[in-house]
Amino acid sequence: MVRTRFAPSPTGVLHLGSVRTALFCWLYARHHGGQFILRIEDTDRERSTPENVEAILEGMAWLGLTADEGPFYQTERYERYREVLDDWLDSGKAYYCYCTKEELDALREAQMAAGERVRYDGRWRDKTEPREGVDPVIRFKNPLEGEVIVDDAVRGRVVFQNEQLDDLIIARSDGSPTYNFSVIVDDYDMRITHVIRGDDHLNNTPRQMNMLAALGAEPPKYAHLPMILGPDGAKLSKRHGAVDIREYEEEGYLPEAMLNYLVRLGWSHGDQEIFSVEQMIELFDIKDVNHSASSFNPEKLLWINQQHMIAMPADRLGERLMPYLIKAGLEPADGPDPEHIAEGYHERADTLLHMAASARYCYEDFDVIDEKSAKKHLRPVILEPLIVARRRLAELEHWGQTAIHEAIVEVAADFDINMGKLGQPLRVAVTGGPVSPPIDVTLWLIGQERVLERLDNAIEIIEARAASANS
Ligand code: GLU
């Protein structure tokens, strides 16, 4: 059974790069009918915060990346790490190192001065006598010779020489386990079969494989994912979008669109760009992951988001829109069903936030009409057609799109003007601006009562303008 894990450290929030890793782990497990485990690697107690844990859990929940097991917290597993440490100390797989900071500094300086690679020289490897006054760290006895072969599912075969790896610290002087050590104990205990993570961890892999061997465990399969770069080719940073994933929720992106965008950062299936979550699960395979870095493109993310909004059934999109209307200060009960807004606006809004803002006039009256639009479209020539249109619209007993459409066509025909000549003034009058869905849809959404009031208002504006022009 395939078992993958996502193992974020809550020293930061969940950002695009970490979500992509989580997604690949999740998809791989789902594709193979396996299990996905969430593990919070919070052993760095100074930099891990409950707020970051919250950000991770909320982000994962928003994206629908559900875990079959966990979240497990490494800080709750100290006893288990202690057990392995004691066992390794007893069996000689690990040892206490009593070097002081000064000694290690001196070692580093000497190595640097001699042009050598900086590494721990193993001076406590075979000593058994404790040293007074120093709290020791525990180091793993890495094999001195031979090589470690990482058969990486993305990178291919990567070979490391043991002589290049020093005896790493597995427990700090306060007894707390370090990252590389707790990871292997957990990967082993949690029966992880596939470790999928960023390629910044590739250099940790031979050390982890050596430690897994010390536990008597078979190593999992590894897949190291290439980096995500910013649009400018530099490492993805806050400036580009390495921000809290929850900000994308705030900005009105659909979680399925985020996943779609992220799956394409490094993975492809022919030329296909748009994938539903089900399709991603069906098609995803680690062997199709690219080994070169991919770059983050915010415009493409917007485009994919809009494609998902268009593809989503209007009733569901309307439900998703609801919280954004409320957040925009609108009262959904004071206007059309959000489902209808979804239908009318999905072609013209690329986020839910944008959609809510564009539909504001359907729920709330505006204070002023955009000046440029008023000047251009609310002119005396259109006064009569608007008055007649207002009357026809007032007479409609059933406020439906077809009836509205017919009424406008008739008025345009009566005055021998084309639809656009009448439609645009109507639009400006009822929305306060020059853009909205087709005019019959717009009027329908706004509702009869509001439309009539707003037409009265526009008619007054034109009359006042005509009066002042004549005086
Ligand atoms: N906790 C590590 C990190 O956030 C991930 C460790 C791993 O995937 O092995 O970078």
Side-chain angles (χ1 to χ4, degrees), residues 372-426:
K372 203 166 137 216
S373 307
K375 219 165 162 182
K376 184 154 170 215
H377 296 289
L378 300 185
R379 290 185 303 156
V381 285
I382 206 69
L383 183 60
E384 280 307 308
L386 278 186
I387 290 172
V388 176
R390 193 242 177 250
R391 199 174 62 228
R392 292 271 169 85
L393 291 168
E395 283 162 7
L396 292 182
E397 275 170 23
H398 168 69
W399 190 250
Q401 283 181 33
T402 315
I404 295 169
H405 180 79
E406 282 166 5
I408 302 169
V409 170
E410 276 171 28
V411 176
D414 286 354
F415 286 90
D416 200 19
I417 53 180
N418 71 32
M419 273 286 280
K421 284 254 161 17
L422 179 58
Q424 199 58 3
L426 278 171

Side-chain angles (χ1 to χ4, degrees), residues 306 309-310 317 341-350 355:
Q306 185 170 31
M309 298 211 309
I310 292 172
L317 189 59
I341 297 291
E343 224 156 41
Y345 287 79
H346 64 194
E347 301 269 1
R348 45 193 83 237
D350 43 24
M355 189 181 267

Side-chain angles (χ1 to χ4, degrees), residues 177-468:
T178 59
Y179 158 70
N180 275 296
F181 173 70
S182 44
V183 160
I184 62 105
V185 176
D186 288 353
D187 284 344
Y188 173 66
D189 286 359
M190 296 172 191
R191 304 187 315 285
I192 301 303
T193 58
H194 292 75
V195 167
I196 302 170
R197 59 186 173 193
D199 65 6
D200 48 333
H201 286 291
L202 182 61
N203 286 332
N204 289 321
T205 305
R207 298 175 178 286
Q208 294 185 6
M209 286 172 74
N210 283 336
M211 287 192 283
L212 283 163
L215 271 182
E218 278 292 315
K221 258 314 233 165
Y222 290 96
H224 286 93
L225 308 173
M227 287 219 291
I228 302 177
L229 304 175
D232 55 2
K235 190 172 181 299
L236 194 65
S237 69
K238 284 225 165 60
R239 184 164 50 93
H240 302 121
V243 293
D244 190 335
I245 197 75
R246 293 176 302 178
E247 287 183 26
Y248 290 95
E249 180 183 11
E250 296 260 310
E251 286 170 27
Y253 289 84
L254 294 173
E256 36 284 85
M258 288 311 295
L259 297 182
N260 184 163
Y261 178 72
L262 290 171
V263 83
R264 291 283 295 104
L265 284 184
W267 175 82
S268 56
H269 178 73
D271 295 335
Q272 190 171 339
E273 289 290 2
I274 302 301
F275 297 87
S276 66
V277 175
E278 292 71 31
Q279 282 174 321
M280 287 182 227
I281 292 174
E282 188 191 322
L283 299 170
F284 183 80
D285 205 333
I286 222 65
K287 73 174 172 23
D288 300 318
V289 173
N290 210 316
H291 23 235
S292 47
S294 29
S295 40
F296 175 58
N297 176 342
E299 280 91 53
K300 185 158 169 202
L301 171 59
L302 271 175
W303 178 78
I304 287 189
N305 197 54
Q306 185 170 31
Q307 300 309 305
H308 277 264
M309 298 211 309
I310 292 172
M312 186 174 279
D315 55 341
R316 267 177 58 207
L317 189 59
E319 281 168 25
R320 305 287 188 95
L321 176 65
M322 193 73 115
Y324 294 88
L325 292 172
I326 295 169
K327 228 171 55 183
L330 302 173
E331 178 50 72
D334 287 351
D337 186 329
E339 171 179 347
H340 299 140
I341 297 291
E343 224 156 41
Y345 287 79
H346 64 194
E347 301 269 1
R348 45 193 83 237
D350 43 24
T351 64
L352 290 169
L353 192 67
H354 182 191
M355 189 181 267
S358 311
R360 177 169 285 279
Y361 50 74
C362 295
Y363 295 92
E364 187 179 86
D365 289 331
F366 48 84
D367 294 336
V368 283
I369 294 178
D370 167 59
E371 205 180 323
K372 203 166 137 216
S373 307
K375 219 165 162 182
K376 184 154 170 215
H377 296 289
L378 300 185
R379 290 185 303 156
V381 285
I382 206 69
L383 183 60
E384 280 307 308
L386 278 186
I387 290 172
V388 176
R390 193 242 177 250
R391 199 174 62 228
R392 292 271 169 85
L393 291 168
E395 283 162 7
L396 292 182
E397 275 170 23
H398 168 69
W399 190 250
Q401 283 181 33
T402 315
I404 295 169
H405 180 79
E406 282 166 5
I408 302 169
V409 170
E410 276 171 28
V411 176
D414 286 354
F415 286 90
D416 200 19
I417 53 180
N418 71 32
M419 273 286 280
K421 284 254 161 17
L422 179 58
Q424 199 58 3
L426 278 171
R427 175 172 286 113
V428 170
V430 300
T431 72
V435 278
S436 79
I439 191 62
D440 40 3
V441 177
T442 304
L443 296 176
W444 177 66
L445 286 170
I446 292 172
Q448 192 170 23
E449 201 181 321
R450 277 200 175 113
V451 162
L452 299 181
E453 274 171 24
R454 291 176 191 177
L455 285 176
D456 286 340
N457 182 40
I459 289 164
E460 262 178 45
I461 291 174
I462 302 175
E463 282 171 345
R465 185 172 290 173
S468 71

Side-chain angles (χ1 to χ4, degrees), residues 108-126:
R108 180 179 324 110
E109 273 164 33
Q111 286 170 333
M112 278 169 36
E116 290 170 11
R117 209 161 41 80
V118 172
R119 63 200 293 275
Y120 176 67
D121 61 2
R123 58 178 70 173
W124 281 86
R125 193 173 163 107
D126 298 312

